[in-house]
């Protein structure tokens, strides 16, 4: 059976934090505030995959109240989600994520993000798509106050 899942995440952007998106550190004067590394793209992918398998969400598996996840590299979350999906008899068909951030321009970093997400999931880079948009100066996203990510995932589940 093929099953679909959707994931969403948003993090506030502040000065003095690294900007990590899709498991890649992107040079930027502002980075995401978060308990872990604040990687909205990785978190949206995790939630899309967990949602497809009806396994819950990141908050249940990796609560921000748990000190283990402070500053955690989100590749850990992707690996753990992939392990839980495999245990549930699921394989990843494909994942597609869109990152919304006013700046910097992410296009040069997208191939590295695809490769890093695929590697963390134990999947093929051809099954992972990462896209980016600016917020066209609209609202909090347009004011460079936040970064947002939307993901969708398809899985095969026995
Ligand atoms: Mg998050």
């Amino acid at each position: 059976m093929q099953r679909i899942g959707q994931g969403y995440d948003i993090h506030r952007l502040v000065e003095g934090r690294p900007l990590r998106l899709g498991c890649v550190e992107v040079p930027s004067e502002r980075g995401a505030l978060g308990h872990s590394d604040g990687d909205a793209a990785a978190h949206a992918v995790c939630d899309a995959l967990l949602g497809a398998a009806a396994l819950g969400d990141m908050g249940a598996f990796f609560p921000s109240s748990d000190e283990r996840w402070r500053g955690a590299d989100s590749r850990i979350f992707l690996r753990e989600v992939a392990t839980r999906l495999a245990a549930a008899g699921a394989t990843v068909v494909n994942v597609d994520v869109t990152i919304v951030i006013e700046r910097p321009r992410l296009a040069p970093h997208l191939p590295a993000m695809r490769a890093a997400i695929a590697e963390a999931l134990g999947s093929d880079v051809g099954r992972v798509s990462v896209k980016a948009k600016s917020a066209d100066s609209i609202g909090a996203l347009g004011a460079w106050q936040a970064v947002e990510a939307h993901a969708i995932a398809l899985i095969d589940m026995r």
Side-chain angles (χ1 to χ4, degrees):
M1 183 179 24
Q2 293 206 317
R3 299 166 58 122
I4 198 163
Q6 179 263 347
Y8 167 80
D9 198 22
I10 186 166
H11 281 265
R12 188 178 295 277
L13 289 170
V14 294
E15 284 176 14
R17 287 269 298 185
L19 179 64
R20 275 185 72 86
L21 288 169
C23 310
V24 170
E25 188 159 335
V26 177
S28 170
E29 286 162 30
R30 290 187 191 180
L33 198 59
H35 183 70
S36 66
D37 63 2
D39 187 336
H43 299 174
V45 168
C46 284
D47 266 357
L49 289 167
L50 290 171
L55 286 174
D57 63 18
M58 277 197 75
F61 288 114
F62 316 108
S64 57
S65 56
D66 191 332
E67 282 302 310
R68 262 186 306 172
W69 312 125
R70 182 173 295 282
D73 183 331
S74 288
R75 276 178 290 203
I76 293 168
F77 302 146
L78 287 163
R79 286 195 198 108
E80 180 63 23
V81 165
T83 299
R84 288 182 187 259
L85 253 68
T91 54
V92 178
V93 176
N94 75 301
V95 172
D96 184 24
V97 56
T98 300
I99 302 164
V100 186
I101 191 166
E102 191 64 7
R103 58 185 178 272
R105 202 171 147 266
L106 297 183
H109 305 283
L110 300 180
M113 292 180 193
R114 290 179 64 198
I117 292 169
E119 197 271 326
L121 291 175
S123 190
D124 190 273
V125 70
R127 295 177 183 272
V128 177
S129 161
V130 183
K131 314 190 299 300
K133 302 192 86 67
S134 85
D136 206 17
S137 303
I138 298 164
L141 289 165
W144 205 31
Q145 291 170 352
V147 55
E148 191 176 76
H150 305 256
I152 192 161
L154 189 70
I155 61 171
D156 245 319
M157 198 161 163
R158 285 190 298 276

